[in-house]
Amino acid sequence: MRTSLLLGIFLKYILVLLPVIFILFSKLVSGKTKVKWVLAVLLIPFILKELVYVVVMLQGDALQMHGSIVLGGWAPAIPLIWYISAWSIYLYFKIKYESPKIKKRTKITAGILLTILVVWSLVFVFNTYKEQEAKIILKCGTEKIFTKNLQPNKLYLTKNYIHKTFSTYIGDLQGNKMILSNKIVNMGDLHDCLKYSDKQFNLIYPKDSKYNKSWAWEKDTYDINSKLLFSSEESVCPSDKSDNREKNEYEKWTNQYGDHSIKTNSDSFVFDVNNTSHTVKAETIEFSQHFIGTTFSTDENKHIFRTSIDDSSKIILWKFSKNGDFIKEVHIKLPKSVIIVAGRGYYISHIKIDKDKIQFRLYERYRSNQDRGWKIMCSYHTLEIENKI
């Protein structure tokens, strides 16, 4: 890869400097005239390149950047103006000083190159226009759902925290219907975005989508609000120096109180009851084989707590009997002051269950920025719900 990079840099400067070399060894002019032409081929293209660079950087939003994270789809204009202006000055030099026969051949060459440049520019501008946003359907924080020029009925969703780049096609728009495609990656992102809308959109899912299924647990699924009791200050996560491993409060609590007999397979919760494996099919849209959450047991029941995979404003709680039989699925709505930020780790710990209340800690863990030494940072919210489940 390093060799390819060096080769690219070498070829770039060869392409720019060849006109200079040709003029230096040309017998058409000499003395001060040659010096002037050499300086012209060296300086004018470089100045033009720098001017284009400034325009692209300052007017990036107006030019509807796409493709390159830093400079957008107009980034190729920077080296191209450098190469084209250098060779244009050289061709003008040839036309000015060569014999009539060679001058005619040079004009034909210049005309062909100009035609190629015009055609390429038209295609480039057309493609750039095609990728521009025609209409923003929803603007939701760092994301948005929008359509593009020449595709007014196709919907795109921007990915997390990347401004105007890397959009994903999610389906078609027909009135207030969003007909989703099979290519959609994360339905949670779309659902979170729709919360910001004042309009009501009817989502039409693909035929094979799990969102079209009739879930057996729906009749036993409940919504409940949570109450914020306490928010800790942000601090560096404690570590155990003996083995140089992170030992945060979540890990300490789960090691001591977590029910490690609860596991998952492809579509079910699996309970180890008296050394016997008991499987319960997970008839819920919130099931994830790879994200079981925090397990906790009392004398009567087994519980699983975790953040929702479909809605970032919810905690999911599953309640089972001590034998592993499903009892209820509870969707715990977080207070508005408790915001789950994409890219951070959230865990449930310090669960306390009594007759009237259930209390738990939503524990947050993430890496700080470079200014703070890339340390692992920790904080938590203590939440409470009524024990009506």
Side-chain angles (χ1 to χ4, degrees):
M1 185 176 178
R2 187 174 180 180
T3 304
S4 301
L5 182 63
L6 291 173
L7 181 62
I9 294 172
F10 175 74
L11 290 174
K12 178 179 74 173
Y13 284 106
I14 285 294
L15 192 60
V16 170
L17 293 175
L18 270 178
V20 179
I21 295 170
F22 290 157
I23 292 174
L24 275 174
F25 288 94
S26 173
K27 295 180 179 179
L28 297 174
V29 293
S30 60
K32 290 182 179 179
T33 304
K34 180 176 285 191
V35 172
K36 289 178 182 178
W37 279 100
V38 168
L39 290 174
V41 178
L42 279 174
L43 296 178
I44 293 174
F46 179 78
I47 292 169
L48 287 174
K49 181 198 74 158
E50 292 301 307
L51 288 173
V52 172
Y53 176 82
V54 171
V55 170
V56 171
M57 289 299 290
L58 293 179
Q59 300 297 321
D61 287 342
L63 295 174
Q64 289 292 330
M65 296 194 297
H66 65 91
S68 166
I69 294 176
V70 180
L71 296 174
W74 292 89
I78 297 170
L80 281 174
I81 198 69
W82 198 17
Y83 308 147
I84 291 168
S85 57
W87 283 93
S88 297
I89 294 172
Y90 174 69
L91 289 172
Y92 179 71
F93 168 81
K94 292 274 287 181
I95 292 170
K96 185 175 179 64
Y97 293 107
E98 281 286 7
S99 63
K101 185 177 179 181
I102 297 177
K103 189 180 294 189
K104 183 179 179 181
R105 200 162 57 207
T106 304
K107 287 180 179 179
I108 293 171
T109 302
I112 293 171
L113 290 175
L114 180 62
T115 302
I116 292 171
L117 177 62
V118 169
V119 171
W120 176 86
S121 298
L122 289 174
V123 171
F124 175 76
V125 170
F126 177 75
N127 286 334
T128 301
Y129 166 79
K130 199 166 61 174
E131 290 296 317
Q132 287 180 352
E133 297 168 7
K135 182 181 180 182
I136 296 176
I137 307 300
L138 284 176
K139 197 169 183 66
C140 39
T142 57
E143 298 181 352
K144 58 188 167 185
I145 298 172
F146 61 95
T147 62
K148 294 182 180 180
N149 286 327
L150 305 184
Q151 296 177 318
N153 295 321
K154 292 191 178 296
L155 293 173
Y156 295 85
L157 174 69
T158 53
K159 292 185 179 179
N160 287 337
Y161 306 113
I162 305 177
H163 182 54
K164 293 187 179 177
T165 57
F166 300 112
S167 58
T168 303
Y169 169 66
I170 60 174
D172 297 334
L173 179 67
Q174 293 183 8
N176 69 334
K177 293 181 181 178
M178 288 187 179
I179 303 172
L180 306 178
S181 74
N182 285 313
K183 297 179 181 179
I184 189 162
V185 179
N186 190 342
M187 197 66 72
D189 291 343
L190 177 58
H191 286 178
D192 281 350
C193 194
L194 287 173
K195 293 176 198 171
Y196 291 82
S197 174
D198 295 330
K199 302 176 184 177
Q200 292 296 319
F201 288 99
N202 185 13
L203 297 181
I204 310 298
Y205 300 101
K207 288 183 180 179
D208 58 348
S209 171
K210 68 179 183 178
Y211 291 87
N212 290 327
K213 295 180 182 178
S214 296
W215 298 101
W217 289 5
E218 279 188 347
K219 64 181 184 300
D220 294 309
T221 299
Y222 301 88
D223 292 316
I224 191 168
N225 292 322
S226 63
K227 176 183 176 183
L228 179 62
L229 298 182
F230 175 76
S231 295
S232 75
E233 292 185 359
E234 178 187 59
S235 62
V236 177
C237 295
S239 61
D240 187 341
K241 295 182 180 179
S242 61
D243 62 0
N244 197 28
R245 182 172 176 269
E246 303 293 343
K247 289 289 185 183
N248 58 48
E249 295 297 318
Y250 162 78
E251 289 172 329
K252 291 177 183 177
W253 186 90
T254 52
N255 287 337
Q256 186 173 357
Y257 299 106
D259 186 341
H260 306 292
S261 68
I262 306 175
K263 296 179 172 55
T264 58
N265 61 21
S266 59
D267 64 353
S268 305
F269 293 105
V270 181
F271 300 87
D272 184 4
V273 182
N274 298 325
N275 296 321
T276 301
S277 181
H278 182 60
T279 301
V280 180
K281 187 172 175 58
E283 299 287 355
T284 169
I285 207 168
E286 287 285 355
F287 178 78
S288 172
Q289 178 187 358
H290 307 291
F291 184 28
I292 186 170
T294 299
T295 56
F296 179 70
S297 295
T298 61
D299 293 338
E300 297 82 20
N301 302 110
K302 294 177 180 290
H303 302 83
I304 298 174
F305 290 76
R306 67 160 170 75
T307 53
S308 168
I309 59 173
D310 181 52
D311 186 340
S312 62
S313 67
K314 288 181 179 178
I315 301 294
I316 304 302
L317 163 60
W318 286 292
K319 184 178 181 180
F320 300 88
S321 71
K322 63 181 179 181
N323 293 321
D325 300 316
F326 171 73
I327 299 175
K328 289 178 181 177
E329 176 178 311
V330 182
H331 293 196
I332 304 168
K333 185 75 174 177
L334 293 171
K336 290 184 179 179
S337 57
V338 179
I339 300 172
I340 290 181
V341 181
R344 296 188 178 186
Y346 290 87
Y347 314 96
I348 311 295
S349 67
H350 296 71
I351 300 165
K352 297 177 183 178
I353 300 177
D354 60 33
K355 184 179 179 180
D356 301 315
K357 305 287 183 183
I358 298 178
Q359 206 177 97
F360 60 93
R361 181 184 291 185
L362 178 61
Y363 189 84
E364 180 180 5
R365 187 168 181 258
Y366 65 96
R367 189 176 293 278
S368 65
N369 57 29
Q370 188 174 8
D371 293 339
R372 301 176 72 175
W374 302 110
K375 295 177 181 178
I376 305 298
M377 306 300 293
C378 292
S379 63
Y380 65 87
H381 301 288
T382 300
L383 301 162
E384 182 181 80
I385 61 173
E386 292 184 56
N387 190 1
K388 292 182 178 180
I389 56 173

